[in-house]
Amino acid sequence: IAVDGVCLTVTRHDPRGFAVEAIGTTLSRTAIGGLEPGAAVNLERALALGDRLGGHLVQGHVDGVGTVRGVRREGEHLLLDIALPDEVAAVTVLHGSIAVSGVSLTVNALPDRDVVQVAVIPYTFEHTNLGHLREGDRVNLEGDMIGKFIAHLLTRRGGMRGAEESREA
């Protein structure tokens, strides 16, 4: 199950809930270790092989932790500006996808080299914990899966520097 975007194995469950175990690596690379008892989290079951895909490709493998830089209402939706770690910024493109605390969203804008802006529609605001985010909150980020594979291939072939330069253009 993905808990705020972190893919975890259910180790025990009953009608009232479930238990998971997170190793030190997971706790050091995600914001999940900072959760308080009773915190609202986004939950998503794993997709079974062969099921219909209805959105962005997301694995539940957190690439880095971002920090909310700004939250503002614009009409009915919410705009979130999030500071990105380098490894996520390198694979983030305008109108590409990014998962924020397990919620896959379209990149609305890139206001700065290391900042992404996403728009949260009322349905997502009401059915996830994104509507509760405040400036300074830490969020789990998963970069665009296709972008990650392309960046990896370019790096292996020595061409990532050119890919980063084209992102700036």
Side-chain angles (χ1 to χ4, degrees), residues 51-68:
D51 282 356
R52 180 182 178 276
L53 292 175
H56 302 134
L57 297 174
V58 177
Q59 294 179 300
H61 300 164
V62 174
D63 296 311
V65 176
T67 304
V68 177

Side-chain angles (χ1 to χ4, degrees), residues 142-159:
E142 180 178 340
D144 186 278
M145 194 162 81
I146 295 169
K148 288 190 291 189
F149 283 107
I150 292 170
H152 176 76
L153 289 172
L154 288 172
T155 299
R156 300 263 315 191
R157 293 186 174 149

Side-chain angles (χ1 to χ4, degrees), residues 14-156:
D14 62 40
R16 295 182 336 192
F18 63 91
V20 296
E21 189 172 330
I23 65 172
T25 305
T26 301
L27 297 174
S28 70
R29 293 182 182 172
T30 70
I32 204 162
L35 291 174
E36 298 289 332
V41 295
N42 298 315
L43 299 175
E44 187 163 5
R45 292 175 53 181
L47 181 69
L49 190 61
D51 282 356
R52 180 182 178 276
L53 292 175
H56 302 134
L57 297 174
V58 177
Q59 294 179 300
H61 300 164
V62 174
D63 296 311
V65 176
T67 304
V68 177
R69 275 210 182 152
V71 180
R72 76 173 191 276
R73 277 230 178 277
E74 188 169 290
E76 290 186 359
H77 61 274
L78 191 67
L79 293 177
L80 299 174
D81 287 348
I82 302 168
L84 304 174
D86 290 341
E87 59 273 18
V88 178
V91 297
T92 302
V93 297
L94 186 62
H95 303 142
S97 66
I98 187 167
V100 178
S101 292
V103 180
S104 184
L105 301 165
T106 300
V107 174
N108 185 59
L110 295 167
D112 202 351
R113 179 178 172 82
D114 65 343
V115 176
V116 67
Q117 181 184 86
V118 294
V120 180
I121 63 171
Y123 181 89
T124 304
F125 181 88
E126 293 169 15
H127 292 88
T128 70
N129 65 5
L130 298 184
H132 303 289
L133 291 175
R134 301 290 172 251
E135 193 169 324
D137 286 350
R138 292 168 30 101
V139 292
N140 294 315
L141 299 172
E142 180 178 340
D144 186 278
M145 194 162 81
I146 295 169
K148 288 190 291 189
F149 283 107
I150 292 170
H152 176 76
L153 289 172
L154 288 172
T155 299
R156 300 263 315 191

